[in-house]
Amino acid sequence: MLHLLTYAPAPPPEVTTTAQSCLRPVGLRGCGGKMAAAGAIERSFLEISGAERERPRHFREFTVCGVGTVPAVAGAVKYSESAGGFYYVESGKLFSVTRNRFIHWKTSGDTLELVEESLDINLLNNAVHLKFQNCSVLPGGVHVSETQNHVIILIVTNQTVHRLLLPHPSRMYRSELVTDSQMQSIFTDIGKVDFRDPCNHQLIPSVPGLFSNSTASAAWLSSDGEALFALPSASGGIFVLKLPPHDIPGMTSVVELKQSSVMQRLLIGWMPTAIRGDQGPSDRPISLAVHCVEHNAFIFALCQDHKLRMWSFQDQMCLMVADMLEYVPVNKDLRLIAGTGHKLRLAYSPSLGLYLGVYMHAPKHGQFCVFQLVTTENNRYSLDHISSLFTSQETLIDFALTSTDIWALWHDAENQTVVKYINFEHNIAGQWNQVFMQPLPEEEIIIRDDQDPREVYLQNLFTPGRFINAALCKALQIFCRGTERDLDLSWTELKKEVTLAVENELQGNVTEYEFSQEEFRSLQQEFWCKFYACCLQYQEALSRPLALHLNPHTNMMCLLKKGYLSFLVPSSLVDHLYLLPDESLVTEDETAIADDVARDVICLIKCLRLIGESLTMDMSIMMEMNCYNLQSPEKAAEQILEDLITIDEGNVMEDICSKLQEIRNPVHAIGLIIREMDYETEVEMEKGFDPAQPLNIRINLSQLYGSGTAGHIVCRGVCKIASTRFLICRDLLILQQLLMRLGDTVMLGAGQLFQAQQDLLHRTAPLLLSYHLIKWGSQCLATDVPVDTLESNLQHLSVLELTDSSTLMANKLVSSPQTIVELFFQEVARKHIISHLFSQPKASLTQSEMNWPEMVTTITNYFLQLLWPSSPGCLFLECLMGNCQYVQLQDYIQLLHPWCQVNVGSCRFMLGRCYLVTGEGQKALECFCQAASEVGKEEFLDRLIRSEDGEIVSTPRMQYYDKVLRLLDVVGLPELVIQLATSAMTEAGDDWKSQATLRTCIFKHHLDLGHNSQAYEALTQIPDSSRQLDCLRQLVVVLCERSQLQDLVEFPYVNLHNEVVGIIESRARAVDLMTHNYYELLYAFHIYRHNYRKAGTVMFEYGMRLGREVRTLRGLEKQGNCYLAAINCLRLIRPEYAWIVQPASGAVYDRPGASPKRNHDGECTAAPTNRQIEILELADLERECSLARIRLTLAQHDPSAVAVAGSSSAEEMVTLLVQAGLFDTAISLCQTFKLSLTPVFEGLAFKCIKLQFGGETAQAEAWAWLATNQLSSVITTKDSSATDEAWRLLSTYLERYKVQNNLYHYCVINKLLSHGVPLPNWLINSYKKVDAAELLRLYLNYDLLEEAVDLVSEYVDAVLGKGHQYFGIEFPLSATAPMVWLPYSSIDQLLHALGENSANTHNIALSQKILDKLEDYQQKVDKATRDLIFRRHL
């Protein structure tokens, strides 16, 4: 009982509306009404199931405790199931939060199911179960009203009344802009409602006269916010129970309305009335309805005595009584029986007033009477009879009334659902318009011998649009013998569970271990048939209709069924004519079609109907299989026609031929039908919303019909259209074959026959295939796509620069039961369609009213245009590609390709992408190459090659090749890149830039594959020098990293020799020396070409850098080897050419593109000045090699010296060697580089000093370095210590390495004396022999006066001949010997020093000793001198 759908509710306190002054109708009757206008064009409607196919709807359970209620007793009245719905007042406004939003419910015993639906957005927590303890909800006992802030649900049970207060959708969101794809329902917080609140819950009082078993009720909100419940009394009056406003404390009261002139008494609390009327029981109301006007409410009661009574609640009196039997032609029998099946509905129109629809039930027939309520000036009310409509249907379930139409729902004699509608004013013939109901799935499944029973049954069970999830779940539960199972399953999970259950049942009933394949097949078919029958039974039960739900604001009609909700959508004219029953087609108004062809079209449709009805199942399957297997439909039609003629039963072919005789112009009629069904169009839809529109409008429009329910409705409608028109085209094709066979030129004319054969036949076949393809897509399920696959796909699309396309917004997992057509509608098509529909200026948008028949028809038509295989755009294919539906995309293109020549290149490209994903690279390459020929001809390919910056750098086809090459590169298929680039070379022609790009691409991928020779060949053919140089550099680096140096060295490098050398040199100087071997590569490169000098230069530079940059033992070893290699290179050259240029020191090399160096302050350093070129010969290299070996020796002996040894000079190395104790090596180095040995002797002397004063530890450590020096004989006896050996080594060196000025003795003694160490006797004796005077000066320098005095005394004695051999004096003083001398200056200094301290007696004695010696010396000198003079004078 849809009471709130049939009248306008009174404006509550929160609603501001225009006051309604009277009930007089305004304007002409029957004017207006968009539904009527739509009905004049679209003659019939189709039922589209809106059932959820994913998971059963999750209902939240709540129990309403019945305080004071009495449990039901055995035999109590059981109420039938009922349903109803509520529409929001602004549900038809384009920019309302409640747009396309409604509530529907179902009652069953003590349970009330409430569901809120939206066609624009997916609602969360939108389904609840309310269970009323000890109570049963009355059929039609749910009434919903809305205010500005609340949605109020009034519920009537057999014992209680309830008021639920819920927030209004417009108050649930802070912002007007709702950008999410999901939204909370008004039922989200229903758990917070206090069901026991006495203000919102009351028991129905036991008032005398209240009829307890009646199912009639009405409820409404007063203008003050009071909740009023109207219940029939047994005496024919009406009890009204009133709850105070929810926010104002008050008491509950009951008012009884009676037919009496006495004013009724107001009953306070639960006190019964004392005033009783005298009405008989036949006056009891059986249907109640309420119409609110300002502060009053008119209650209409249709009673058992067939009278309609109108009550004023404000005046508490009956205003009008009308006898309905006056409008029934034969009413004698009806007057004698009480009316039980009568129904009353109201419809209010602001312009036309209030309409009353009364259904008068009689056995085997019924009658609808439509009245208009009119009032006179003195406020007397009467009914103006508008129309009476008769029906032969017996059981009326429900009907709905608008200001123009009646919609009725019946059960016929075969218990089939029948829905029809009629315009009650303008339908003179009384012809009801048809609603084509969704049939139940077939009862029997035909399985061919070549089919697997399990696969056939699974396909029929899970094909979209056949069974709902709830039916399958219930059947599964029963089939599993009621075992507890988790039935919250997805579509895929449910399919697995069904398969498992049936297979387990089959195996559990198999008693034999072995049986034939035929027996197993029969057994398998038996169990699957059993489960299928169970599913069919539940599908039928859940499909039982309960009520109609009509929204007069949008003219949307819904059918509320036991298990789901379905929608009625208009059918097109062609479908309407084809689907109409024969009796309806005969009386069809031909003015709907142009007058000159109306008769021809009707006759043609009749012929098609005859053909379709005469086809067997095998014939139908033959045509479908031919379409699916890409065979000719024309040949299939010809074969079917042959079979029809052969098995002609009932002379059907003769009837068809006779009807063809009635068609005056068959070619024109066929052409008209074809044009009506052809959606090929050049209309270009907008790619998005008009940016000039405000943001809130664009966002609001972007959500229109965005819910899963709306998408499902549109797509199921498309599937219905495709299925119907496939049949029309099939029958039309067979009919055309018949026309060709007849060949009656008298009937057709020669020219017409030729046209029918050449034109219409070839237009019908693609039409048939197009609808077959759309039908296939509407039943083809999309597959789940993991996130990583989506991300990989997005990466590939970004390479193609397609990620900004509105067709490629794959941001979520595809739901498994979603078909690919639904996926396309929700992801892409809907936005295109809505933006195209509302691309008008803002002013027209704000005034737009939603009209469901018009909107769904327009959207469906546009959607078919987008789906049409021969449409110029290929958004559908793009959507499948963008959402990773590769298998479905392959199948679609496979079905499309042979007969549709539109978008061939785009299809080949997308098929190539599918092959890439499935790993069939060669097939993908073939498809990409085939698509290249269509570049510049198709919109998708043009968008594919469009550059992001809009710059066209080459020909369109070359841009296409570039995109595909990049895609293949990202996918990782270098072989295919090479093949495609090679084939694209012919397209490049003389375009050197494209040639360079392609050859570079070929080079790169040959190199990646390790095809070094092919890579080099491609490199040499690159016409762009800069690209060639880049590729050459890459070749060098890659081959070096792979250690494929032989190939790198042996390539000829014609005209590229210097570039290669430069690249290798640059790399060698820029990378780490120990991890890359570019110097060795360059060395091999020069050796291979016999350029030994450059090879030597390379190795010498390598050695220099190793010593400077690689401070490791391995680096020093390599340095030595580098110098040896350089020496060998120079020895292979003639001596006059055996030289190299000294490489630059440091890291300063002239590298092209090197960044300027900066100092620590960030300033650019000054450019280096031109250095002087230094030539190195073979001897120089040998010295460097010797130095390198010595560095290695030092590093091996002392690892801590590695860090400093590598780049040390010869002088620095001597110091390091001395510190390490490698004196032999240091001396060898000094000799090689002609350096003084002074540091060696000083270092050895210092070590001797340290040993002399060191402890046992120093002694032990000394043996290590002593062993590295080659002593003439090493004494290791106990009497010999490390100190002794060190002194002996020093003595050996002084004897071995003598210089002219005895420098080494001097430095040793100087070192010893500087450290205060007494001089060893052997050292004194040794130095006395070579330079006693210097020894004296050293004594004086260190203030060793006593030693100096002794030395002078000995020296004077030696000069005089006493021990002269110890001072190296060959001839002492003698007149005959050479002259001798004394160091008088040093002696004078000694005497002066001794005489400085006259108080020191010891010094005076020493001074006297010297003076005595000198006096003796003077005497002898004087004597010798006289002898010498004497001898000379002889």
Side-chain angles (χ1 to χ4, degrees):
M1 302 283 288
L2 308 180
H3 296 293
L4 292 178
L5 295 180
T6 56
Y7 60 86
E14 302 171 10
V15 181
T16 56
T17 58
T18 305
Q20 301 165 0
S21 58
C22 67
L23 294 177
R24 292 184 180 88
V26 179
L28 297 175
R29 289 191 309 223
C31 295
K34 297 179 182 177
M35 183 72 80
I41 301 174
E42 308 294 346
R43 294 305 182 89
S44 57
F45 278 72
L46 295 169
E47 181 197 7
I48 303 294
S49 170
E52 294 287 341
R53 293 180 294 113
E54 296 184 19
R55 298 175 185 266
R57 191 189 299 278
H58 176 66
F59 284 91
R60 292 179 295 154
E61 306 280 348
F62 297 95
T63 300
V64 182
C65 297
V67 179
T69 57
V70 180
V73 297
V77 177
K78 290 187 178 181
Y79 299 102
S80 62
E81 291 182 324
S82 67
F86 164 77
Y87 55 87
Y88 292 95
V89 174
E90 294 188 349
S91 59
K93 293 186 178 180
L94 189 58
F95 297 105
S96 169
V97 174
T98 56
R99 179 189 64 196
N100 289 328
R101 193 162 168 172
F102 59 96
I103 300 171
H104 63 91
W105 56 84
K106 185 187 78 173
T107 66
S108 177
D110 62 351
T111 302
L112 168 63
E113 291 182 3
L114 288 165
V115 179
E116 185 182 20
E117 295 276 5
S118 172
L119 299 182
D120 293 345
I121 201 164
N122 296 318
L123 298 177
L124 303 174
N125 302 310
N126 65 326
V128 294
H129 261 157
L130 297 181
K131 186 172 183 179
F132 296 88
Q133 205 171 44
N134 301 330
C135 300
S136 295
V137 182
L138 295 184
V142 181
H143 312 268
V144 183
S145 299
E146 67 173 313
T147 65
Q148 284 186 345
N149 296 327
H150 296 99
V151 173
I152 301 167
I153 303 177
L154 305 177
I155 305 169
V156 184
T157 72
N158 61 341
Q159 299 187 54
T160 58
V161 294
H162 302 265
R163 173 171 56 190
L164 298 182
L165 200 67
L166 301 172
H168 194 276
S170 61
R171 294 294 182 264
M172 293 181 65
Y173 313 105
R174 296 180 180 179
S175 172
E176 294 181 357
L177 300 181
V178 181
T179 58
D180 297 332
S181 60
Q182 296 177 329
M183 180 185 291
Q184 293 293 339
S185 166
I186 64 171
F187 297 130
T188 298
D189 296 329
I190 195 172
K192 300 178 182 179
V193 175
D194 184 7
F195 295 108
R196 297 186 177 183
D197 184 0
C199 295
N200 296 318
H201 156 259
Q202 286 295 340
L203 287 171
I204 297 177
S206 300
V207 179
L210 183 65
F211 189 73
S212 58
N213 293 329
S214 173
T215 60
S217 67
W220 71 97
L221 284 181
S222 71
S223 59
D224 298 326
E226 299 168 325
L228 300 161
F229 301 86
L231 299 170
S233 69
S235 59
I238 297 174
F239 283 97
V240 179
L241 189 151
K242 180 169 64 175
L243 297 180
H246 67 89
D247 53 353
I248 301 176
M251 298 184 63
T252 305
S253 60
V254 175
V255 173
E256 182 181 2
L257 307 181
K258 293 173 45 179
Q259 289 192 40
S260 174
S261 59
V262 180
M263 179 64 68
Q264 300 301 303
R265 188 184 68 174
L266 182 66
L267 303 179
I268 305 300
W270 298 125
M271 296 297 295
T273 180
I275 302 176
R276 303 294 302 160
D278 55 354
Q279 292 88 349
S282 62
D283 299 340
R284 178 163 49 88
I286 57 176
S287 183
L288 297 176
V290 178
H291 177 67
C292 299
V293 181
E294 295 181 350
H295 300 289
N296 195 7
F298 295 124
I299 305 174
F300 296 88
L302 185 59
C303 304
Q304 282 187 343
D305 61 355
H306 316 291
K307 290 183 173 60
L308 177 66
R309 294 175 172 86
M310 174 181 170
W311 300 82
S312 170
F313 177 71
Q314 185 179 26
D315 300 332
Q316 298 188 14
M317 61 183 297
C318 182
L319 302 180
M320 180 191 70
V321 178
D323 187 1
M324 294 294 101
L325 293 182
E326 294 179 2
Y327 306 97
V328 179
V330 181
N331 56 26
K332 291 183 179 180
D333 296 336
L334 289 179
R335 289 188 182 276
L336 301 177
I337 60 175
T340 56
H342 303 337
K343 297 183 185 296
L344 172 65
R345 299 289 183 266
L346 305 182
Y348 177 75
S349 169
S351 59
L352 302 177
L354 183 67
Y355 285 86
L356 291 85
V358 176
Y359 174 73
M360 300 298 294
H361 174 70
K364 298 184 180 181
H365 70 276
Q367 177 181 341
F368 289 94
C369 296
V370 182
F371 304 94
Q372 189 171 24
L373 183 67
V374 295
T375 178
T376 59
E377 295 298 333
N378 54 0
N379 288 331
R380 289 185 176 275
Y381 295 91
S382 63
L383 296 179
D384 183 6
H385 180 250
I386 296 176
S387 178
S388 289
L389 303 167
F390 302 93
T391 173
S392 60
Q393 303 289 344
E394 186 168 345
T395 307
L396 180 73
I397 305 299
D398 190 20
F399 81 97
L401 179 69
T402 72
S403 58
T404 56
D405 301 306
I406 291 177
W407 290 78
L409 167 64
W410 291 278
H411 265 167
D412 62 9
E414 299 177 356
N415 205 29
Q416 296 294 317
T417 301
V418 177
V419 178
K420 294 183 179 181
Y421 78 96
I422 191 171
N423 185 296
F424 53 74
E425 287 190 294
H426 297 290
N427 196 313
I428 301 174
Q431 180 68 34
W432 288 78
N433 294 305
Q434 197 76 23
V435 175
F436 302 112
M437 306 305 295
Q438 180 171 322
L440 290 172
E442 305 85 22
E443 293 187 6
E444 294 184 6
I445 302 297
I446 299 176
I447 304 175
R448 302 194 305 271
D449 293 338
D450 60 338
Q451 291 180 314
D452 179 19
R454 180 177 65 179
E455 295 301 324
V456 174
Y457 275 102
L458 283 175
Q459 181 181 2
N460 279 274
L461 287 170
F462 290 93
T463 297
R466 290 181 182 265
F467 290 89
I468 64 173
N469 192 302
L472 296 176
C473 288
K474 287 182 177 293
L476 179 61
Q477 204 163 19
I478 293 298
F479 201 73
C480 296
R481 294 179 176 84
T483 56
E484 292 295 328
R485 304 174 67 90
D486 178 18
L487 295 182
D488 186 17
L489 304 174
S490 68
W491 202 245
T492 305
E493 294 167 345
L494 182 60
K495 189 174 183 179
K496 292 179 181 178
E497 286 291 329
V498 167
T499 306
L500 185 63
V502 177
E503 294 297 327
N504 289 341
E505 187 76 10
L506 172 62
Q507 294 176 8
N509 285 270
V510 172
T511 57
E512 299 179 4
Y513 291 102
E514 294 183 1
F515 44 84
S516 65
Q517 185 174 358
E518 290 76 13
E519 292 173 336
F520 176 76
R521 177 184 174 88
S522 175
L523 197 62
Q524 188 182 30
Q525 188 167 348
E526 176 187 344
F527 279 93
W528 277 105
C529 182
K530 178 181 176 183
F531 180 79
Y532 183 82
C534 190
C535 294
L536 197 63
Q537 179 182 354
Y538 278 106
Q539 179 76 13
E540 183 176 2
L542 293 173
S543 300
R544 184 166 64 85
L546 300 177
L548 292 169
H549 172 48
L550 173 65
N551 185 343
H553 300 299
T554 62
N555 293 324
M556 182 178 73
M557 176 60 74
C558 298
L559 188 58
L560 304 176
K561 297 190 174 184
K562 179 180 176 63
Y564 58 93
L565 174 72
S566 62
F567 296 79
L568 304 185
V569 299
S571 62
S572 67
L573 185 58
V574 175
D575 301 357
H576 162 76
L577 293 174
Y578 185 78
L579 294 174
L580 275 180
D582 289 335
E583 61 273 11
S584 300
L585 188 62
V586 172
T587 60
E588 184 61 36
D589 185 6
E590 297 181 358
T591 58
I593 313 176
D595 293 336
D596 55 345
V597 296
R599 181 172 168 274
D600 287 353
V601 169
I602 295 295
C603 290
L604 182 62
I605 291 293
K606 290 178 181 178
C607 293
L608 297 180
R609 291 275 297 276
L610 286 173
I611 292 175
E613 291 168 359
S614 61
L615 293 182
T616 64
M617 180 66 71
D618 291 338
M619 294 177 184
S620 300
I621 293 176
M622 179 194 301
M623 181 61 78
E624 291 201 19
M625 294 304 296
N626 269 44
C627 294
Y628 188 79
N629 295 326
L630 308 178
Q631 298 173 358
S632 172
E634 294 96 329
K635 292 183 179 179
E638 188 176 359
Q639 180 62 45
I640 292 172
L641 179 62
E642 291 281 353
D643 296 341
L644 284 176
I645 295 175
T646 303
I647 62 171
D648 187 15
E649 297 178 357
N651 297 322
V652 175
M653 300 308 297
E654 184 177 341
D655 293 342
I656 295 173
C657 292
S658 64
K659 288 187 180 298
L660 285 175
Q661 297 288 342
E662 300 175 11
I663 303 176
R664 292 167 295 180
N665 192 340
V667 172
H668 186 65
I670 294 173
L672 178 63
I673 291 181
I674 290 176
R675 284 195 301 274
E676 283 292 319
M677 295 190 297
D678 194 353
Y679 282 90
E680 184 172 352
T681 175
E682 297 293 334
V683 174
E684 178 67 21
M685 290 193 181
E686 287 76 7
K687 301 300 182 184
F689 292 100
D690 184 2
Q693 293 176 347
L695 177 63
N696 62 333
I697 292 180
R698 280 182 281 156
I699 293 178
N700 201 300
L701 291 178
S702 68
Q703 295 176 334
L704 185 61
Y705 298 120
S707 71
T709 301
H712 174 63
I713 295 168
V714 173
C715 295
R716 293 310 304 163
V718 166
C719 183
K720 290 260 188 183
I721 292 173
S723 302
T724 303
R725 294 187 178 180
F726 175 80
L727 301 178
I728 296 174
C729 293
R730 177 199 65 187
D731 300 343
L732 192 59
L733 206 57
I734 298 171
L735 182 65
Q736 292 179 54
Q737 292 288 354
L738 177 61
L739 289 173
M740 292 173 56
R741 176 181 288 268
L742 291 175
D744 190 351
T745 56
V746 176
M747 180 181 70
L748 297 174
Q752 291 183 356
L753 178 61
F754 177 77
Q755 184 180 8
Q757 180 180 2
Q758 299 297 325
D759 181 27
L760 296 180
L761 192 66
H762 297 304
R763 288 175 59 192
T764 307
L767 209 59
L768 173 77
L769 292 169
S770 296
Y771 281 114
H772 173 265
L773 195 55
I774 295 174
K775 175 185 173 184
W776 173 86
S778 300
Q779 296 176 341
C780 179
L781 294 179
T783 53
D784 288 328
V785 182
V787 175
D788 55 348
T789 303
L790 285 174
E791 291 176 351
S792 174
N793 180 58
L794 192 62
Q795 179 187 9
H796 297 169
L797 295 176
S798 65
V799 173
L800 299 173
E801 298 178 5
L802 288 175
T803 49
D804 291 336
S805 172
S806 58
T807 64
L808 305 171
M809 302 300 291
N811 297 324
K812 60 180 180 298
L813 289 177
V814 176
S815 178
S816 41
Q818 190 178 35
T819 65
I820 58 175
V821 170
E822 287 181 35
L823 175 67
F824 174 54
F825 179 79
Q826 293 178 356
E827 295 291 330
V828 180
R830 183 184 62 83
K831 296 177 183 177
H832 282 257
I833 294 169
I834 299 301
S835 64
H836 181 72
L837 289 178
F838 296 100
S839 56
Q840 292 83 10
K842 175 183 176 184
S844 62
L845 280 178
T846 56
Q847 299 171 2
S848 296
E849 292 289 336
M850 306 295 296
N851 184 278
W852 169 252
E854 294 178 3
M855 287 295 296
V856 73
T857 301
T858 305
I859 290 174
T860 302
N861 287 335
Y862 278 129
F863 190 36
L864 279 168
Q865 290 181 29
L866 294 176
L867 284 172
W868 200 247
S870 58
S871 63
C874 52
L875 293 178
F876 183 44
L877 300 178
E878 282 189 75
C879 177
L880 296 181
M881 180 178 69
N883 287 277
C884 306
Q885 304 298 311
Y886 301 115
V887 175
Q888 295 86 338
L889 181 57
Q890 286 186 71
D891 294 342
Y892 182 88
I893 295 176
Q894 209 67 26
L895 292 172
L896 179 70
H897 174 64
W899 56 272
C900 181
Q901 299 305 313
V902 180
N903 294 321
V904 175
S906 302
C907 289
R908 302 314 294 172
F909 176 83
M910 295 183 192
L911 187 60
R913 277 223 57 214
C914 296
Y915 286 139
L916 279 185
V917 175
T918 57
E920 299 174 273
Q922 287 298 329
K923 289 184 179 180
L925 180 64
E926 182 180 351
C927 290
F928 289 143
C929 292
Q930 291 171 351
S933 60
E934 302 299 320
V935 173
K937 304 176 184 177
E938 299 178 9
E939 186 270 339
F940 170 75
L941 294 179
D942 290 345
R943 183 154 42 85
L944 178 69
I945 65 175
R946 191 179 304 141
S947 177
E948 288 183 344
D949 53 8
E951 181 183 357
I952 304 299
V953 295
S954 59
T955 62
R957 197 167 294 183
M958 289 309 302
Q959 288 179 309
Y960 167 79
Y961 280 123
D962 178 62
K963 285 289 182 70
V964 177
L965 288 170
R966 286 159 59 185
L967 174 62
L968 295 176
D969 188 15
V970 170
V971 175
L973 297 172
E975 300 96 338
L976 301 186
V977 174
I978 295 169
Q979 294 180 42
L980 183 60
T982 303
S983 62
M985 292 296 298
T986 56
E987 183 67 30
D990 297 332
D991 184 358
W992 67 272
K993 289 185 178 180
S994 299
Q995 288 272 359
T997 301
L998 292 173
R999 293 195 183 278
T1000 300
C1001 184
I1002 294 172
F1003 158 80
K1004 175 184 179 298
H1005 290 89
H1006 270 311
L1007 188 61
D1008 291 342
L1009 291 170
H1011 304 162
N1012 300 339
S1013 299
Q1014 293 90 330
Y1016 172 76
E1017 182 180 356
L1019 167 70
T1020 58
Q1021 297 174 353
I1022 297 176
D1024 186 353
S1025 59
S1026 63
R1027 281 179 180 265
Q1028 190 179 47
L1029 188 60
D1030 292 339
C1031 294
L1032 184 61
R1033 186 176 295 107
Q1034 187 177 2
L1035 177 70
V1036 170
V1037 173
V1038 171
L1039 293 187
C1040 187
E1041 289 176 348
R1042 294 177 185 167
S1043 299
Q1044 296 175 334
L1045 304 180
Q1046 184 173 357
D1047 288 346
L1048 184 59
V1049 169
E1050 293 179 356
F1051 287 141
Y1053 300 110
V1054 179
N1055 299 324
L1056 294 172
H1057 183 275
N1058 294 335
E1059 287 79 1
V1060 174
V1061 172
I1063 291 170
I1064 301 177
E1065 284 181 351
S1066 176
R1067 296 292 300 175
R1069 292 166 180 169
V1071 299
D1072 182 49
L1073 294 174
M1074 296 304 290
T1075 56
H1076 299 83
N1077 54 357
Y1078 286 107
Y1079 277 110
E1080 295 176 5
L1081 170 64
L1082 193 56
Y1083 170 75
F1085 184 87
H1086 289 310
I1087 291 294
Y1088 184 77
R1089 287 159 178 77
H1090 307 292
N1091 195 340
Y1092 300 115
R1093 180 189 291 169
K1094 287 190 175 181
T1097 302
V1098 168
M1099 295 311 289
F1100 187 75
E1101 181 181 326
Y1102 188 20
M1104 285 179 59
R1105 290 192 59 202
L1106 284 171
R1108 185 169 56 246
E1109 300 174 19
V1110 183
R1111 306 299 176 87
T1112 63
L1113 187 63
R1114 174 63 180 157
L1116 293 176
E1117 290 176 355
K1118 290 180 70 71
Q1119 184 185 41
N1121 294 335
C1122 290
Y1123 288 153
L1124 285 174
I1127 291 171
N1128 289 338
C1129 289
L1130 292 188
R1131 284 177 177 167
L1132 293 173
I1133 307 174
R1134 285 185 295 174
E1136 59 269 27
Y1137 298 111
W1139 54 268
I1140 63 173
V1141 176
Q1142 168 76 42
S1145 61
V1148 180
Y1149 299 103
D1150 296 331
R1151 297 196 302 270
S1155 61
K1157 305 300 179 183
R1158 298 177 181 269
N1159 58 22
H1160 63 279
D1161 294 326
E1163 301 294 334
C1164 291
T1165 58
T1169 58
N1170 294 332
R1171 62 183 181 87
Q1172 185 177 2
I1173 296 177
E1174 183 178 352
I1175 301 300
L1176 298 179
E1177 297 182 344
L1178 183 59
D1180 300 322
L1181 266 62
E1182 290 173 344
R1183 284 196 297 273
E1184 288 294 331
C1185 183
S1186 174
L1187 178 59
R1189 287 197 302 270
I1190 290 173
R1191 288 170 179 155
L1192 180 60
T1193 301
L1194 174 62
Q1196 291 171 342
H1197 176 75
D1198 183 9
S1200 63
V1202 172
V1204 295
S1207 59
S1208 300
S1209 63
E1211 293 81 357
E1212 294 168 339
M1213 278 302 302
V1214 170
T1215 303
L1216 295 174
L1217 291 171
V1218 168
Q1219 291 175 356
L1222 303 178
F1223 296 104
D1224 282 353
T1225 306
I1227 291 172
S1228 173
L1229 178 60
C1230 292
Q1231 290 174 341
T1232 301
F1233 284 87
K1234 298 185 170 94
L1235 302 176
S1236 171
L1237 297 181
T1238 300
V1240 180
F1241 283 96
E1242 287 181 348
L1244 182 54
F1246 181 70
K1247 284 190 175 293
C1248 291
I1249 295 170
K1250 289 178 65 178
L1251 285 174
Q1252 182 127 3
F1253 298 100
E1256 294 183 359
T1257 304
Q1259 293 283 329
E1261 293 174 352
W1263 286 111
W1265 61 264
L1266 283 171
T1268 60
N1269 297 287
Q1270 295 181 359
L1271 291 174
S1272 56
S1273 61
V1274 178
I1275 301 173
T1276 58
T1277 61
K1278 292 183 180 180
D1279 297 335
S1280 176
S1281 65
T1283 306
D1284 296 337
E1285 289 301 313
W1287 286 115
R1288 194 161 69 88
L1289 179 62
L1290 179 60
S1291 174
T1292 302
Y1293 283 164
L1294 288 174
E1295 292 177 2
R1296 185 181 302 167
Y1297 305 108
K1298 298 178 180 180
V1299 291
Q1300 188 174 0
N1301 54 359
N1302 301 304
L1303 176 63
Y1304 305 143
H1305 284 78
Y1306 173 82
C1307 67
V1308 169
I1309 294 172
N1310 187 52
K1311 175 66 71 173
L1312 295 175
L1313 293 178
S1314 65
H1315 286 79
V1317 178
L1319 299 180
N1321 290 333
W1322 64 266
L1323 180 58
I1324 296 173
N1325 294 334
S1326 175
Y1327 200 24
K1328 284 193 297 186
K1329 283 184 179 181
V1330 295
D1331 196 349
E1334 188 61 34
L1335 179 59
L1336 176 60
R1337 284 190 288 273
L1338 288 172
Y1339 281 155
L1340 289 174
N1341 289 342
Y1342 291 97
D1343 206 19
L1344 299 176
L1345 300 181
E1346 189 172 349
E1347 289 81 355
V1349 170
D1350 292 341
L1351 180 60
V1352 170
S1353 298
E1354 292 178 3
Y1355 190 51
V1356 172
D1357 289 342
V1359 171
L1360 296 178
K1362 182 181 179 180
H1364 62 86
Q1365 66 276 11
Y1366 298 112
F1367 284 87
I1369 300 175
E1370 185 177 357
F1371 302 103
L1373 181 63
S1374 169
T1376 60
M1379 289 186 292
V1380 295
W1381 57 277
L1382 285 177
Y1384 284 106
S1385 298
S1386 299
I1387 294 173
D1388 289 341
Q1389 291 177 12
L1390 176 60
L1391 291 173
H1392 182 269
L1394 291 172
E1396 284 181 350
N1397 189 358
S1398 58
N1400 191 335
T1401 57
H1402 182 65
N1403 285 355
I1404 295 173
L1406 292 176
S1407 177
Q1408 188 60 45
K1409 181 179 178 180
I1410 292 176
L1411 290 174
D1412 292 344
K1413 278 290 181 183
L1414 287 177
E1415 184 178 356
D1416 183 44
Y1417 174 74
Q1418 290 294 340
Q1419 292 176 359
K1420 290 182 179 181
V1421 168
D1422 183 59
K1423 181 179 183 299
T1425 300
R1426 286 197 301 268
D1427 290 347
L1428 179 60
I1429 294 172
F1430 176 76
R1431 286 179 179 274
R1432 285 181 180 174
H1433 289 291
L1434 287 179

